[in-house]
Amino acid sequence: MILQTEYQERREQFMAKIGNGTAILRSAPLAVMHNDVEYNFRQESDFFYLTGFNEPEAVAVLAPHHSEHRFVLFVQPKEREKEVWTGYRTGVEAAKEKFGADEAYPITELNEKLPQYLEKADRIYFHLGRDRDFNAVILDHWQQLMATYSKRGTGPMAIESTHPILHAMRLVKSPTELAMMRQAVAISVDAHNYAREFAKPGRYEYEVQAELEHIFRQRGALGPAYPSIVASGANSCILHYVENNRQMQEGDLLLIDAGCSYGYYNADITRTFPLSGKFTPEQKIIYDIVLKAQLAAIAQVQPGNPYNLFHEAAVRVLVEGLMDLGLLAGDIEEIIKEEKYKPFYMHRTGHWLGLDVHDAGFYKHGENWQVLQPGHVVTVEPGLYIGSDVQPLEGQPAIDDRWRGIGIRIEDDVLLTVEGHEVLTAGVPK
Ligand code: GLY
Ligand code: MN
Ligand code: MN
């Protein structure tokens, strides 16, 4: 549980960086509706990170230069009739008490009240989002303030994205955030370990999915962090296979990519194992290459290393392995540089992990990769996928049928520490 004091500290840290600017953050809109049925609401992560407020149709304004109201919330007012249908609302008064806002207003008053928080700001911090209508609301305010600048002598001269400041903060996880992530990991580890025992030839992939997700929810997670992938046989070569409707067969490999979301913090784990408990010789050869690549990559997850090193380490081991098997041929440096391994390894080796599964944070600044530092969390997830119908690139060797239909990925969540790293998901064997 993350206390209000921590959200307040985050806001102070953020406001110290925006100087005389005013930041506007918007919640996720109403829950997605499909034909009058409401699907689960999921808060927008930046908004949540700074407020802890978990309702739709809200806007947070941070105005560090304002004399009285440095943190303002616009929220849906309490309205008994609406709440009967769509659930509890905090309401305007409690938004101040419970969420520490200096002032709160009904969201319907946004247009009326917003200018007073913008007119003394030198810039607006706002990340243009997918909702063009809301973008237009903010741009209209900006335009009006610009039109009256000459008489007032103050006003925002620029709009700047919140991301560089906010996402740099989100990259480094606090102790309480890490506690949430460890809980998401603990539940997901138990689910994987149970699923491995449960999965058997004759069962359907969805039965395994149901067991995983049963454990997620039973243990207090919100649910899957992303659509669970339970991919047997050649389905393991489809990266985002989510149909999960095949009956598993003797001799299959099973790839499970599943993790839960706990209080919006996520785990992301992949394991691939033989259903019968024993690899075929071909499966074992490919598995060992992926495992070796993953261990080589994890070894590069060290504070001070540029982000890309662990990906490069994985690629090199995968390419060496594919060359040994005669699936790639030529000069290794050229194969790597020209990405000739892509028919078998088409994704990157990891991503930031946190409030979002593919978490916020820049990977690169200009030509420079982000440097890893304590508190970052990354996934390390190399794989090899030799699809049933994959074709070699021009000039590359033919693909022997014995390798076809084998897809393997191994994915761990790794925390950067002062000394090096900690594999958070080590509780699932590989
Ligand atoms: N399961 C999504 C990912 O591994 O990135
Ligand atoms: Mn994954
Ligand atoms: Mn992942």
Side-chain angles (χ1 to χ4, degrees), residues 251-253 274-280 283:
D252 279 353
L253 285 178
L275 268 186
S276 56
K278 204 164 157 29
F279 287 114
T280 65
Q283 291 168 350

Side-chain angles (χ1 to χ4, degrees), residues 329-341:
D331 173 53
I332 183 166
E333 300 308 327
E334 190 183 308
I335 290 172
I336 291 172
K337 186 154 175 275
E338 294 182 10
E339 301 185 334
K340 290 186 176 168
Y341 53 83

Side-chain angles (χ1 to χ4, degrees), residues 30 38 56 76 79 81-89:
L30 287 171
E38 196 175 286
Q76 295 184 112
E79 223 175 314
E81 270 175 38
K82 292 257 172 68
E83 290 179 59
V84 166
W85 286 90
T86 56
Y88 291 109
R89 293 176 177 182

Side-chain angles (χ1 to χ4, degrees), residues 226 257 268-270 381 409 411:
Y226 50 90
D257 184 349
D268 183 3
I269 307 176
T270 308
E381 49 178 308
R409 176 165 65 257
E411 176 175 29

